[in-house]
Amino acid sequence: MGFQALSLKGRALRLLAGREHSRAELERKLAAHETEPGELARALDELQAKGFINEQRVVESVLYRRASSLGASRVKQELQAKGLPAEAVAQAVAGLQATELERAREVWRKKFGEPASDAAGRAKQMRFLASRGFSPEAIRRVVRGEDD
């Protein structure tokens, strides 16, 4: 391994120092720096073997950073964009759906605090929650003020 492979590995480690990255994200970000075919794959294989690249940690990181303020469908989108295995994404999203209503209620409370006085206000609140990726059922219940 020459200096170039070390450089790719160094770049990957610099990215990983900032936050967890999936292998697919690292491939996307570092592809332009590869000088010979297979060089990037070898560097990433080595980092993965040493535990620097860990898909489960990427999932946990996204859940930790985003789940409190986003609905399950939006978190699912972010996980898929990172190129994570479908099974890991499905498992993470299934866990989020159980708490969807409480999380939607908390996001709504922080943003609005009280029920809207008219249809236009309710529509605005519903659009806001929908943009955050909450389910239509959770949005309806939160905006109408329905309890469990």
Side-chain angles (χ1 to χ4, degrees), residues 63 72-73 75-76 79 88-98:
L63 291 178
S73 69
V75 173
K76 179 181 180 180
L79 290 170
V89 172
Q91 202 172 13
V93 171
L96 286 177
Q97 288 168 336

Side-chain angles (χ1 to χ4, degrees), residues 64-84:
Y64 177 77
R65 287 183 294 112
R66 307 293 277 161
S68 64
S69 62
L70 296 177
S73 69
R74 184 81 180 276
V75 173
K76 179 181 180 180
Q77 233 177 9
E78 289 195 14
L79 290 170
Q80 288 172 330
K82 293 184 178 302
L84 295 165

Side-chain angles (χ1 to χ4, degrees), residues 68-69 100-116 124-126 128-129 132 134 138-139 141-147:
S68 64
S69 62
E100 180 97 341
L101 183 60
E102 301 90 74
R103 290 180 300 109
R105 198 171 276 140
E106 183 58 20
V107 168
W108 174 86
R109 187 191 61 71
K110 283 181 181 173
K111 175 76 174 176
F112 300 104
E114 59 187 36
K124 178 182 179 181
Q125 292 181 0
M126 291 174 116
F128 172 76
L129 290 172
R132 291 291 183 94
F134 289 104
I139 293 170
R141 291 178 68 181
V142 168
V143 173
R144 287 187 181 163
E146 295 176 11
D147 288 326

